[in-house]
Structure formats: C-alpha cells, structure tokens
Amino acid sequence: MSNKKINPSDLKNLHVDTLGVRAGVRRTEFNEHSEAMFLTSSFCFDTAEDAAEGFANAEKGFIYSRFTNPTVAMFQDRLAALEGGEACIATSSGMSAIMTVAMAHLQAGDHVICSRSVFGATIQLFSVILGKFGIETTYVDMSDLGAWKAAVKPNTKLFFLETPSNPLTEVADIAAIAKIAKAAGAIYAVDNCFCTPALQKPLELGADVVIHSATKYLDGQGRVLGGAIVGSNEFVMGKVFPYVRTAGPTLSAFNAWVILKGLETLSLRLEKQSESALHLAQWLEQQPAVERVYHPGLKSHPQYEIAQRQQKMGGAILSFTLKGGKKAAWKLINGTKLLSITANLGDTRTTITHPATTTHVRVSEEARLAAGITDGLVRIAVGLENIEDIKNDLLPGLTD
Ligand SMILES: *Cc1c(COP(=O)(O)O)cnc(C)c1O
C-alpha cells in the first residue's frame, strides 16, 4: 500500500469537510485515486509463520472479512476522524450497532437508562430482546435532567439517547447528561443519526460512544444499510471488536464502499438540507392550516438555546401538526406528487410520513399521545430538491 497518507496526529487540524474526502484512505500498489472495493472473504499469508503472526494480532492486519477488510477499514477510519474518536467498528445496520454496544458492554443484571423518544426498534431491542436476558431499562424524558439523575441505580451501566429525536426533534443537553453518566460510572452512548458529525460532535461534548445508522445520512442516498460505533480505543477495540469478530454483525465491503463515498458529500448535503428544512419550517409556521411546527432551528423550539450551542445547524428533519387532524394529514400526504411517501429519511429525495400510522403504529395509543405523536402530525425529511418545488408540492394539500 502507498505510503502517502495523512498522519493520524494531523487529522485534528483538518475540518469536517476535508476529513470527509481525505481521511482513512489506504492505497494498494496500483496507487488508485478513488478507494478500492475489496470483495474478498479472506486474505492469504505467504507462510504458516505469517499466518500465525496474523492471527495473533487480528485487529492489525487482514485475515477474514467478518472482522477485518480494507474497504470497511477505510470507512471506519474516515468516520472515526469525522467524529473525533480514536476507533470505529462498522456493523451491518444501525440496529446491529446498538445491539453490539449492548452485547459487548452489558451482562445479565445490568441496568440501562434510555431517553423515551428514541427510534421505535431501539425500544423494542432494549425492552423485549435485552429484557429476556435480564437487562432492565428505564425510560426518561430526555430534557429532564432530574429524571436522568433519579433513574440511576447501583447497577446502571449504560446511558443511551438520540438527539434530535424522531419525529418531534426534541433536543437533549449532551454535555449536562454526560456529567450525570460520569458520576454514575456508566458508559454514555449517543445515537448521532440525525445530525451526523457534519452538525454535531457528541464525543467533544462528553459522550463515550457515538452510534450511527449509516443507512441514513452517511450513505445519504437511500441505497444500503449500515451502522457504526465510534469511541475510545479501549471501548471499541477492547470490547466492540472482539464481539463483532465472534458474533459477526459485520458490514459488507460493498456497503462500506458505498457509504465511504457517501461521506465525501456529507457536509455539503447536511448543510444544504438543514438550510432548506429551516426555510420550510418557517414557511409552514405561516400556513393557516398548520397548528405547530417542530424544528431545532426555530425560535419557538423548546430547546432552541441548547440546539444553538451544540449543533452547527438544525438538521434536515422537521415535523408539524395540522389543525384538521388525521384527515388533513393524510390529505396533505396524498396531495403531494414530488415527495416520496416513505418512512425512511436521510435521502437526497424529500420524504413525507404520518408517524401515528407508520413508524409509531406499534406504540400504544396512550403512550403515543403522551409522546406528542398526535393524529395530525406529519414528518418531513428534507432532501436536495429546490425548496420552491417542495413548497409548491405541499401547497395544494394545505390550502384546498
Ligand atoms: C434508522 C435508525 C436506526 C436504525 O438503523 P437501521 O440502519 O435501520 O438498522 C437507529 N436510530 C435512528 C435514530 C434511526 O433513525
């Protein structure tokens, strides 16, 4: 492999947009400019001695793609640089990243504190699957610092939250919760899916671990599934790597290559999509059919000050309630011609969804309403289309 590489110690001096295109590159003897895709399940050794040496230091070389592959390593190194973490391990999906952190770090009898408004499958994972193995989870209101403190038990080993939340874009004070986690002696994991390192760096604010669904903005074009875990060498290489090596929730080299190329445009996309989302949120606030708009960049947002402090911009996701309830929400969604009706987000194409009957349909009505997911709520994840075209697509459903 070519020697011309950015010195890891110099990465700290580079900006996120530079790291997105430059960090983590490994070249073969052909000196290819764009990163190579290594579609191989295993790697050869010259001698039995070399093989023995390779297995003794499995995390350093390339042996078998369940745990080491050069394309996956390039993605891992680039994301670690972007998040400002020492190490990163990629996984097959965002859910497998969360599962991996839990399995690598927890054991029966341990306790988890999780913010209430996390991704639906995350709640199912903690409550139903990990619950079966004797791990207990308490859910708290993410903006209530007293609730985090009060939930701590002697066996609390993990704090988990997602900010901004889906779909109401609630914002947690990452640094304030870090202090509570530290005092509790727990590992503190933040799902940085909505902001990505282009807009928010949880490790700099005191989180121990960052988790990603790379399926969303890291790929950014709605093509593949992937996940990642970023943190200290001690946690990631000491706990996560041995778990992934053994259990195999591995990211494929093909998907790693797609997401690696997605990282090159991450900053550009997030900035443009956030700008459009704020513009759309402000426009929606003026529409007579709209009751309330949720976006961290709006002055009316309850955690506006925290968002201003810890996020570079508000992010690409917004939601809003319509005065006409479910009927009006469905009419608006059905009236769009350009926007995609899909529950996915983090795509270049704007998506629109009705959370109460799709992403949150498995939640009981009582819990759903308590969480603010009313029947009139609509979520939009803004893509890269021209903002005027997005507004024109929504207008008929808001005015008829
Ligand atoms: C989508 C999502 C996940 C799960 O990721 P997958 O790649 O679909 O497994 C986890 N957290 C958040 C915030 C998400 O939006």
Side-chain angles (χ1 to χ4, degrees):
M1 294 215 172
S2 154
N3 294 324
K4 189 167 178 269
K5 270 209 293 190
I6 309 165
N7 215 319
S9 59
D10 292 338
L11 290 176
K12 286 190 183 63
N13 304 324
L14 298 174
H15 296 86
V16 155
D17 31 8
T18 308
L19 293 170
V21 294
R22 290 288 178 184
V25 174
R26 294 173 191 236
R27 296 199 173 114
T28 70
E29 76 262 36
F30 301 121
N31 257 327
E32 66 281 356
H33 194 200
S34 177
E35 298 82 351
M37 197 195 299
F38 289 87
L39 295 185
T40 176
S41 29
S42 75
F43 299 83
C44 297
F45 297 98
D46 288 340
T47 63
E49 287 79 359
D50 284 351
E53 170 76 20
F55 271 80
N57 297 291
E59 71 284 4
K60 297 215 173 74
F62 298 105
I63 297 176
Y64 187 59
S65 288
R66 185 181 341 104
F67 47 100
T68 44
N69 174 286
T71 312
V72 177
M74 286 191 270
F75 163 62
Q76 291 173 164
D77 292 350
R78 184 167 294 174
L79 186 60
L82 285 166
E83 288 286 3
E86 288 172 354
C88 169
I89 292 290
T91 57
S92 56
S93 68
M95 289 319 302
S96 69
I98 300 171
M99 182 68 175
T100 294
V101 165
M103 295 299 274
H105 178 60
L106 303 172
Q107 60 182 44
D110 284 348
H111 175 242
V112 177
I113 310 176
C114 182
S115 63
R116 192 168 286 128
S117 28
V118 286
F119 191 63
T122 305
I123 294 188
Q124 298 288 319
L125 174 66
F126 281 124
S127 294
V128 180
I129 298 181
L130 296 174
K132 260 192 345 190
F133 297 95
I135 293 163
E136 188 205 357
T137 301
T138 303
Y139 297 94
V140 297
D141 176 348
M142 70 200 266
S143 54
D144 181 353
L145 296 179
W148 287 92
K149 261 185 223 155
V152 173
K153 297 183 184 192
N155 57 341
T156 303
K157 292 284 160 53
L158 178 68
F159 274 46
F160 187 98
L161 65 81
E162 189 184 306
T163 179
S165 73
N166 181 14
L168 294 176
T169 72
E170 268 179 277
V171 172
D173 187 334
I174 298 176
I177 295 167
K179 293 200 185 98
I180 303 169
K182 207 174 175 96
I187 286 280
Y188 176 27
V190 174
D191 183 334
N192 201 23
C193 176
F194 273 31
C195 274
T196 83
L199 304 183
Q200 171 173 279
K201 302 268 204 81
L203 298 176
E204 284 177 4
L205 297 165
D208 299 305
V209 179
V210 165
I211 290 174
H212 274 286
S213 166
T215 315
K216 311 292 169 53
Y217 291 100
L218 303 191
D219 169 19
Q221 288 147 84
R223 301 168 293 191
V224 298
L225 275 94
I229 299 148
V230 187
S232 66
N233 261 320
E234 189 190 350
F235 186 82
V236 174
M237 297 317 291
K239 286 188 169 179
V240 171
F241 175 76
Y243 173 80
V244 170
R245 179 183 183 173
T246 306
T250 310
L251 183 66
S252 76
F254 180 84
N255 287 9
W257 185 85
V258 171
I259 303 164
L260 182 68
K261 303 311 273 179
L263 290 182
E264 296 184 4
T265 54
L266 181 70
S267 283
L268 270 180
R269 285 185 281 105
L270 262 290
E271 284 175 18
K272 168 78 178 168
Q273 290 174 225
S274 291
E275 189 186 295
S276 295
L278 179 58
H279 181 111
L280 187 64
Q282 286 164 341
W283 179 78
L284 284 165
E285 273 192 326
Q286 281 153 24
Q287 303 305 310
V290 173
E291 188 175 58
R292 180 155 179 205
V293 186
Y294 303 88
H295 182 268
L298 291 176
K299 294 216 170 69
S300 59
H301 189 282
Q303 294 96 30
Y304 174 76
E305 300 295 332
I306 302 171
Q308 288 291 307
R309 204 165 60 223
Q310 76 186 15
Q311 298 179 205
K312 188 173 167 190
M313 296 173 84
I317 292 151
L318 62 99
S319 59
F320 53 99
T321 47
L322 290 164
K323 288 173 187 157
K326 179 177 159 184
K327 197 163 163 248
W330 280 27
K331 187 178 137 233
L332 172 67
I333 292 168
N334 290 337
T336 59
K337 296 196 171 72
L338 188 66
L339 306 199
S340 310
I341 305 174
T342 171
N344 198 22
L345 56 93
D347 203 307
T348 51
R349 288 159 288 233
T350 300
T351 65
I352 187 164
T353 190
H354 184 240
T357 51
T358 59
T359 53
H360 288 70
V361 75
R362 284 194 289 176
V363 181
S364 74
E365 187 176 357
E366 194 190 348
R368 194 160 53 68
L369 294 176
I373 321 260
T374 57
D375 288 345
L377 188 76
V378 173
R379 186 196 73 193
I380 293 183
V382 179
L384 288 176
E385 303 93 339
N386 187 289
I387 187 65
E388 297 305 321
D389 293 333
I390 297 173
K391 283 172 6 191
N392 287 337
D393 201 40
L394 291 167
L395 204 53
L398 287 171
T399 44
D400 278 358

